[in-house]
Amino acid sequence: SLMRVSSDPTIEVIVVDNASTDGSFEMVREKFPQVTLIENARRLCPLPGLGLRVGRDQSPTQWGILGYAMMCCRTVRHMMAMLIKYHRIAASMAEFYFREERELAYLEVRPPRALHEALVPVIEEHFSSVLSGVKLLTGRADIRPAELRLSYAKPDYARLYGEVFGCPVHFSRPS
């Protein structure tokens, strides 16, 4: 898809590189000189919990057509079905999985490939933006998950998770 849009002068393509070592940065710079490359995005914006803050503060309308479609849903269940089915059109860097058991609903966010240093901010942004969308759809600013389980180490700014999600947060690896 990069090749299709790279020849259109009205479209600016920005590639974020977090100090990758696989040669992808050099390949993009060489083959697509018109692409703007941002090296080491985390160094450029060192704000702790950036993914949490972005997701918490964004509106579903910032997801483009998917966000507008989700806001037309009548229920959270329908919103989640829409998200699962069409999240790729919003350039999602992770896959969403949703299931219901008894009175609980489970949302899993799983990247389809290794994201390395980008894993934590991507997961943070996905969970916090979905929560923001649910709050907007339901009109309930007080809605909270029962708990959040994450597959990475507890970051230094873990208290921000409590502020954003308002629930117990469990990190599966020690700090």
Side-chain angles (χ1 to χ4, degrees), residues 87-104:
H87 69 277
R88 287 180 194 88
I89 65 172
S92 174
M93 293 180 68
E95 297 292 326
F96 289 93
Y97 302 91
F98 181 75
R99 73 180 195 282
E100 296 177 77
E101 291 180 14
R102 299 186 186 102
E103 295 181 14
L104 293 176

Side-chain angles (χ1 to χ4, degrees), residues 25-127:
F25 174 76
E26 291 78 13
M27 182 277 301
V28 171
R29 184 176 13 208
E30 180 181 312
K31 292 188 176 189
F32 306 99
Q34 66 278 29
V35 172
T36 303
L37 289 164
I38 301 173
E39 296 182 56
N40 202 350
R42 291 177 52 170
R43 179 183 54 78
L44 296 173
C45 188
L47 184 65
L50 180 62
L52 291 171
R53 297 168 196 271
V54 167
R56 176 194 64 197
D57 298 339
Q58 75 182 180
S59 162
T61 57
Q62 292 171 298
W63 296 2
I65 192 74
L66 174 61
Y68 286 104
M70 288 170 49
M71 297 322 317
C72 292
C73 296
R74 294 182 188 266
T75 66
V76 172
R77 180 180 290 121
H78 186 229
M79 180 183 128
M80 295 309 299
M82 181 83 64
L83 175 66
I84 302 297
K85 187 171 183 179
Y86 297 112
H87 69 277
R88 287 180 194 88
I89 65 172
S92 174
M93 293 180 68
E95 297 292 326
F96 289 93
Y97 302 91
F98 181 75
R99 73 180 195 282
E100 296 177 77
E101 291 180 14
R102 299 186 186 102
E103 295 181 14
L104 293 176
Y106 297 86
L107 175 64
E108 181 179 351
V109 177
R110 187 181 331 145
R113 64 194 165 284
L115 296 177
H116 308 287
E117 293 83 18
L119 174 69
V120 171
V122 165
I123 298 300
E124 291 173 347
E125 187 272 335
H126 280 65
F127 274 121

